[in-house]
């Protein structure tokens, strides 16, 4: 019987970096893959198999305004907007000296929106993205 280690990664164990900098004012990260699948039908009333189609990779970052403004500065140096950038997002989970790494390859932000309302003490910016690939355990 295999041993089960009930220790799970927590938010404090997460590090996310992009554009050569470790994000400090990161509030949320989400990433994943979907694949198109379709049942292949034929004789009878049950699928004969499953056909696999295209993969799609997407996710989201939620960061503070200070992190976003740093990204704006990098984009401006290249004569671009943040939504024009194509970049890798490196995600690391570090627990008891063991590091697990994932990499989002060729991420491109699809939108951005700034805003605040009365009573807010900080601005949080959501940056949804699409990507070329999500590599796990790199």
């Amino acid at each position: 019987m295999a041993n089960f280690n009930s220790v799970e990664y927590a938010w404090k164990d997460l590090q996310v970096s992009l554009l050569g900098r470790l994000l400090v004012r990161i509030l949320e990260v989400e990433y994943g893959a979907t694949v198109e699948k379709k049942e292949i039908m034929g004789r009878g009333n049950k699928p004969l198999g499953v056909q696999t189609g295209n993969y799609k990779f997407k996710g989201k970052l939620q960061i503070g305004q200070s992190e976003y403004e740093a990204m704006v500065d990098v984009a401006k140096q290249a004569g671009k907007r943040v939504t024009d950038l194509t970049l890798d997002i490196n995600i690391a989970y570090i627990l008891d000296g063991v590091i697990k790494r994932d990499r989002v390859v060729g991420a491109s932000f699809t939108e951005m929106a700034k805003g605040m309302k009365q009573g807010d003490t900080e601005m949080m910016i959501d940056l949804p993205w699409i990507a070329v690939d999500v590599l796990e355990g790199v």
Side-chain angles (χ1 to χ4, degrees), residues 27-74:
L27 305 159
E28 181 181 348
V29 62
E30 181 180 307
Y31 56 102
T34 57
V35 62
E36 297 171 0
K37 292 190 176 186
K38 177 183 174 187
E39 298 96 341
I40 302 299
M41 302 302 291
R43 191 174 143 263
N45 63 354
K46 294 181 181 176
L48 300 175
V50 176
Q51 183 68 32
T52 302
N54 293 329
Y55 278 88
K56 293 182 181 181
F57 305 95
K58 64 181 180 177
K60 175 178 90 167
L61 291 176
Q62 185 180 69
I63 58 177
Q65 181 183 7
S66 58
E67 292 290 0
Y68 180 75
E69 296 302 338
M71 291 174 66
V72 168
D73 291 343
V74 170

Side-chain angles (χ1 to χ4, degrees), residues 9 16 24 26 31 34-35 42 73 83 93-94 113 118 125 136:
Y9 294 105
V16 178
V24 176
I26 182 166
Y31 56 102
T34 57
V35 62
D73 291 343
T83 51
Y93 303 91
I94 305 168
Q118 196 283 325
I125 299 169
E136 296 180 282

Side-chain angles (χ1 to χ4, degrees), residues 18-19 61 63 67-76 78-87 107-114 125-129:
L18 53 86
L19 298 172
L61 291 176
I63 58 177
E67 292 290 0
Y68 180 75
E69 296 302 338
M71 291 174 66
V72 168
D73 291 343
V74 170
K76 275 186 176 179
K80 298 181 177 187
R81 297 172 182 259
V82 170
T83 51
D84 296 332
L85 297 174
T86 299
L87 50 89
S108 180
F109 299 110
T110 58
E111 62 183 86
M112 66 72 58
K114 289 183 178 181
I125 299 169
D126 289 334
L127 294 171
W129 53 260

